[in-house]
Amino acid sequence: MILILLGPPGAGKGTQAKLLARDLQVPHISTGDMFRDHKARGTELGRQVDAIMASGGLVPDDVTNSMVKDRLSRPDVAGGFILDGYPRTTAQADFLDQLLVSLGRRTDRAVSYEIAHELLVDRMSGRRSCPSCGTVYHVTANPPRKGGVCDREGAVLVQRDDDKAETVGRRLQEYEAKTAPLKRYYQERGVLTEVAGTGSPDEVLATTKRALGRS
Ligand code: ADP
Ligand code: ADP
């Protein structure tokens, strides 16, 4: 299954993508995680995207598209994959469409997580993640067993630079202006499903799987 997860920053895409990847046994491809990994490794691409990400803007389409094209050339995507945070613009969606056509494949479903913007600010400001294994927590909604420390790795949790109050507003604006129109894009292609992003992560997972016919 080729699945796209849409939704504003903080909607729960990464959380659901990890759960769905486990249950559907397909890779989770997050462009945000890939860019953060480049930054952490200090690659040329990481240096190129650092300031853009810190400002809450979007990385240029050509840079993002070529990173995704490379990723989709790996053999582990043969049985399907979950895209989290990509595409984010109509140009990226067109690129993905053409790339999939050239591979003889197509998008099965685009799930859009729906949630009020007031809740998103709290989700982003409370988000903490493990720098070692990437597990994502929330300080109140989904806290680790021991405050500030990863359950799996024991590493001290960190807050993303772009989850700070100054940047969150810009990211929401970018979403509304550039990414929200993709709902209509996928609706016109008959593959869009809207899912409420509220409720516990397990409840959202159950709703998503029902919508995908995989419950
Ligand atoms: P969130 O999970 O909060 O939506 P992501 O981890 O997906 O955030 O993305 C973090 C940042 O990485 C974005 O604000 C943007 O700067 C960059 N980014 C990630 N995916 C894309 C994309 N598809 N196109 C352009 N920029 C992207
Ligand atoms: P996105 O990838 O869309 O930016 P995340 O999956 O990283 O979103 O979730 C953002 C924050 O909200 C994280 O701190 C996460 O633990 C928390 N979160 C995710 N899903 C839920 C949920 N259903 N209820 C409450 N908090 C959630």
Side-chain angles (χ1 to χ4, degrees):
M1 165 168 292
I2 297 180
L3 178 60
I4 292 171
L5 301 188
L6 298 171
K13 302 179 298 296
T15 300
Q16 293 303 317
K18 287 191 179 73
L19 298 170
L20 288 162
R22 178 199 66 190
D23 289 0
L24 304 178
Q25 297 274 297
V26 292
H28 165 203
I29 300 174
S30 156
T31 43
D33 285 350
M34 291 165 81
F35 287 135
R36 279 185 289 277
D37 181 58
H38 275 282
K39 278 187 358 177
R41 290 189 287 119
T43 67
E44 173 59 32
L45 176 59
R47 277 192 292 278
Q48 211 181 322
V49 301
D50 193 7
I52 299 171
M53 288 175 77
S55 73
L58 294 183
V59 174
D61 289 330
D62 55 341
V63 175
T64 309
N65 287 337
S66 76
M67 182 176 76
V68 170
K69 185 175 180 195
D70 268 8
R71 180 65 186 86
L72 295 186
S73 70
R74 288 187 15 204
D76 66 338
V77 302
F81 52 90
I82 300 171
L83 288 171
D84 157 19
Y86 179 91
R88 256 179 157 97
T89 64
T90 303
Q92 291 180 14
D94 283 338
F95 178 87
L96 175 66
D97 233 25
Q98 282 155 26
L99 177 62
L100 291 177
V101 167
S102 74
L103 298 170
R105 308 181 76 174
R106 63 179 177 79
T107 301
D108 292 296
R109 201 123 285 274
V111 171
S112 174
Y113 290 107
E114 303 297 316
I115 178 165
H117 276 203
E118 305 84 81
L119 298 178
L120 293 175
V121 176
D122 172 68
R123 289 230 182 146
M124 282 188 269
S125 59
R127 172 161 49 191
R128 299 290 183 276
S129 53
C130 175
S132 172
C133 69
T135 303
V136 175
Y137 299 89
H138 187 277
V139 288
T140 52
N142 178 27
R145 283 194 288 275
K146 182 170 168 232
V149 174
C150 182
D151 292 345
R152 292 162 64 183
E153 304 271 331
V156 174
L157 302 180
V158 294
Q159 181 175 27
R160 275 169 44 178
D161 281 345
D162 62 348
D163 275 343
K164 302 199 171 134
E166 315 81 81
T167 323
V168 159
R170 167 98 195 271
R171 287 165 62 208
L172 289 171
Q173 280 167 10
E174 288 283 81
Y175 171 78
E176 284 305 331
K178 297 177 182 163
T179 310
L182 292 185
K183 286 197 325 187
R184 165 166 275 224
Y185 184 100
Y186 287 109
Q187 192 170 36
E188 283 168 353
R189 285 159 178 75
V191 296
L192 183 78
T193 302
E194 293 184 333
V195 168
T198 45
S200 72
D202 281 342
E203 284 165 352
V204 178
L205 176 67
T207 313
T208 307
K209 285 170 69 177
R210 268 198 304 280
L212 298 175
R214 296 294 185 102
S215 51

